[in-house]
Amino acid sequence: MFWAVVLLTLQPLLTWFSSFGVGVPLPGGGISTSWLSSFHTDLSNFVSNFVVGRLTTTLAAYFVLRAILDAVAGEHPLPSVLTAMFLLGVQTTYNLLRSYNTGTAYATADVLDSLWNYLVSTIMPISAGLAIIGAIINFASRRTGTIRLVCVSIALLSVSALWYLVLAMMQ
């Protein structure tokens, strides 16, 4: 994920090189040299059109087929199903990363910070709720692991609370 963020914010990241004395002219926020401009355009087209547009959907279809074959062979199909679901969410993840790009010299840090905030404020509370549901199901069916799931839920909610505490202390 880190390298995806770095390559997505490559244009603003290049402004750091000019502060070190490397001649990377970036007037008006755009890439002006022909080599850097063509590299940026080619890389953006490759990621958008080939990797995100074509390759991920084909790989997701492969993993759906693999899940069926795993179930027929008596193996568990869940890893293949989760992989297919992840691959089908790549386009949305790519759009989310692009929306977090501020275009400044700090764009890489801004995208990573926005991803962390999204994880802490959206994903972790949902995961905590699912862990509580799992704990209730385990308790009702008299299975083990109820306390572990409750502790996981508390830990997930604590990360969010501790993150907001750290942010409040830094201001």
Side-chain angles (χ1 to χ4, degrees):
M1 185 59 82
F2 173 75
W3 287 109
V5 170
V6 167
L7 290 175
L8 189 65
T9 59
L10 184 62
Q11 180 179 354
L13 193 61
L14 290 175
T15 58
W16 283 101
F17 291 111
S18 62
S19 67
F20 298 129
V22 177
V24 182
L26 295 172
I31 296 177
S32 62
T33 60
S34 62
W35 182 83
L36 287 176
S37 177
S38 66
F39 178 74
H40 179 263
T41 303
D42 292 342
L43 187 65
S44 295
N45 287 336
F46 175 75
V47 169
S48 298
N49 298 332
F50 181 70
V51 174
V52 175
R54 303 282 307 264
L55 190 61
T56 56
T57 54
T58 304
L59 286 174
Y62 164 76
F63 279 105
V64 168
L65 176 65
R66 182 174 172 175
I68 294 168
L69 294 175
D70 286 344
V72 168
E75 297 176 13
H76 208 285
L78 187 62
S80 297
V81 170
L82 290 177
T83 304
M85 289 174 57
F86 169 77
L87 286 170
L88 290 175
V90 166
Q91 178 68 41
T92 305
T93 305
Y94 179 68
N95 291 337
L96 182 70
L97 290 175
R98 288 185 63 152
S99 71
Y100 289 154
N101 188 356
T102 59
T104 64
Y106 300 106
T108 305
D110 291 340
V111 171
L112 291 172
D113 187 42
S114 297
L115 284 175
W116 174 253
N117 286 332
Y118 182 77
L119 177 72
V120 168
S121 65
T122 304
I123 303 296
M124 285 188 175
I126 292 170
S127 300
L130 291 173
I132 289 294
I133 291 170
I136 292 169
I137 291 170
N138 279 353
F139 182 76
S141 62
R142 300 186 190 273
R143 293 184 187 162
T144 60
T146 302
I147 300 298
R148 181 175 26 136
L149 287 173
V150 170
C151 290
V152 165
S153 178
I154 291 170
L156 287 170
L157 291 175
S158 297
V159 169
S160 177
L162 288 174
W163 177 248
Y164 287 122
L165 178 66
V166 167
L167 288 179
M169 289 173 54
M170 290 178 65
Q171 291 178 355

